[in-house]
Amino acid sequence: AERTYQSAVERTPGLEAIARYAVFQSKTGRADQAKETLAEIEKRVRKATTHFRGEARRWRDFAAKEID
């Protein structure tokens, strides 16, 4: 599953893939990596255009809820 998530993160626009990857990391005992991935999501949310920011925040919130 690891390779599949990594591939999806690299190839899929938006934040859904990376948010789901962060949750996967958390649920497979890699909380530190999940938090690093969440930090990357945060950076991407801050850089997002106004049009995209709402959707980006929803994926960030999804990941944060599942990680904490």
Side-chain angles (χ1 to χ4, degrees), residues 44-58:
R44 293 183 187 194
V45 168
R46 285 193 301 272
K47 291 179 181 181
T49 63
T50 304
H51 176 75
F52 179 65
R53 200 167 290 136
E55 181 180 345
R57 285 184 186 135
R58 281 191 292 278

Side-chain angles (χ1 to χ4, degrees), residues 1-12 16-25 28 30:
E2 181 76 25
R3 278 194 212 167
T4 302
Y5 276 110
Q6 288 176 341
S7 178
V9 167
E10 293 169 2
R11 296 170 189 225
T12 307
E16 179 179 2
I18 193 170
R20 291 186 183 279
Y21 183 46
V23 173
F24 169 77
Q25 289 172 319
T28 56
R30 296 178 287 160

